[in-house]
Amino acid sequence: NAGVTQTPKFQVLKTGQSMTLQCAQDMNHEYMSWYRQDPGMGLRLIHYSVGAGITDQGEVPNGYNVSRSTTEDFPLRLLSAAPSQTSVYFCASSPQTGQGRTGNQPQHFGDGTRLSIL
Amino acid sequence: AQSVAQPEDQVNVAEGNPLTVKCTYSVSGNPYLFWYVQYPNRGLQFLLKYITGDNLVKGSYGFEAEFNKSQTSFHLKKPSALVSDSALYFCAARRAAGNKLTFGGGTRVLVKP
């Protein structure tokens, strides 16, 4: 019963490096999302996806790319890391949101990736 | 744009006393409202939600929340707090027809023995 799995758990990067944060879920959820958590600011939505092949921007998308080639995986890519991207990143999934029967389901969160950029 | 406010950064309460964590929201149309709890070095865990119906919603671990449409509030409550309730609590909201969930800044709860 894995739920949402994020790797790595910790990462230190140098400014300008690139990397991919991995997220996988085994619940067959259509909706997946990435958040960053910074002190006093709650969680802010970076990108989200409502199904394979479909992605959209959230509140703070600059500097991040995503793709959704399968239902299970939703990787987040940092193209050129900056110190402002030091944060804790959370991936979440839920059944498809909308006005359908599953539209009110809560999100399931991974345990996060703690990213430091020097 | 939708927003969620949690006016208290931290709430201190003695074990056995009532616990209240405040949340107000701004969402166009009918809101879906959620409370999550976060323990150290873990992801968020779902506590309860308001979708429609009764204004008093009961959730996990003895928590409940009261939806007040006129005050646009969704305060989290627990009648008798436990030391193990010490954690970071987040309120979240989105439009019923929307895909984006907006979180408040979080409230740290410290329950003292």
Side-chain angles (χ1 to χ4, degrees):
Chain A
N1 191 15
V4 178
T5 302
Q6 292 185 237
T7 56
K9 294 188 183 303
F10 304 93
Q11 185 70 49
V12 178
L13 292 178
K14 294 181 179 179
T15 298
Q17 287 184 316
S18 63
M19 81 160 294
T20 299
L21 280 62
Q22 302 292 343
C23 175
Q25 53 93 7
D26 61 359
M27 297 171 283
N28 201 33
H29 286 167
E30 296 90 346
Y31 183 89
M32 296 186 74
S33 54
W34 276 101
Y35 296 89
R36 59 178 289 173
Q37 182 180 18
D38 301 292
M41 302 186 73
L43 277 74
R44 292 181 291 169
L45 183 64
I46 304 172
H47 286 285
Y48 67 96
S49 169
V50 298
I54 306 171
T55 63
D56 205 348
Q57 295 182 349
E59 183 183 358
V60 288
N62 292 341
Y64 307 95
N65 275 0
V66 292
S67 60
R68 185 91 180 270
S69 57
T70 67
T71 298
E72 295 77 19
D73 300 301
F74 190 44
L76 178 72
R77 282 182 287 276
L78 280 70
L79 304 176
S80 178
S84 61
Q85 294 178 304
T86 293
S87 188
V88 182
Y89 291 84
F90 288 98
C91 179
S93 73
S94 68
Q96 175 62 50
T97 62
Q99 297 194 13
R101 184 173 59 86
T102 59
N104 56 21
Q105 297 304 303
Q107 295 190 32
H108 298 251
F109 284 82
D111 283 338
T113 293
R114 285 146 187 83
L115 182 62
S116 293
I117 300 167
L118 308 177
Chain B
Q2 56 195 39
S3 64
V4 176
Q6 294 180 241
E8 301 157 316
D9 291 336
Q10 181 160 325
V11 170
N12 298 317
V13 63
E15 188 174 31
N17 281 3
L19 170 64
T20 298
V21 185
K22 296 179 181 178
C23 171
T24 58
Y25 65 91
S26 175
V27 172
S28 60
N30 294 323
Y32 285 171
L33 301 167
F34 302 84
W35 275 102
Y36 289 86
V37 60
Q38 184 182 33
Y39 297 100
N41 300 315
R42 299 301 303 275
L44 278 66
Q45 297 177 27
F46 168 71
L47 279 178
L48 51 78
K49 65 182 179 183
Y50 172 82
I51 303 302
T52 187
D54 289 341
N55 290 341
L56 185 63
V57 178
K58 294 188 182 297
S60 305
Y61 312 119
F63 283 94
E64 57 190 27
E66 186 169 11
F67 171 66
N68 187 317
K69 187 173 184 177
S70 63
Q71 297 186 3
T72 63
S73 68
F74 189 55
H75 301 331
L76 181 69
K77 300 179 181 182
K78 186 171 185 180
S80 179
L82 301 172
V83 172
S84 57
D85 293 328
S86 298
L88 188 57
Y89 291 80
F90 289 97
C91 181
R94 66 172 176 86
R95 292 185 300 116
N99 283 321
K100 299 180 181 180
L101 191 62
T102 298
F103 285 84
T107 299
R108 188 166 301 279
V109 170
L110 180 60
V111 182
K112 298 181 179 179

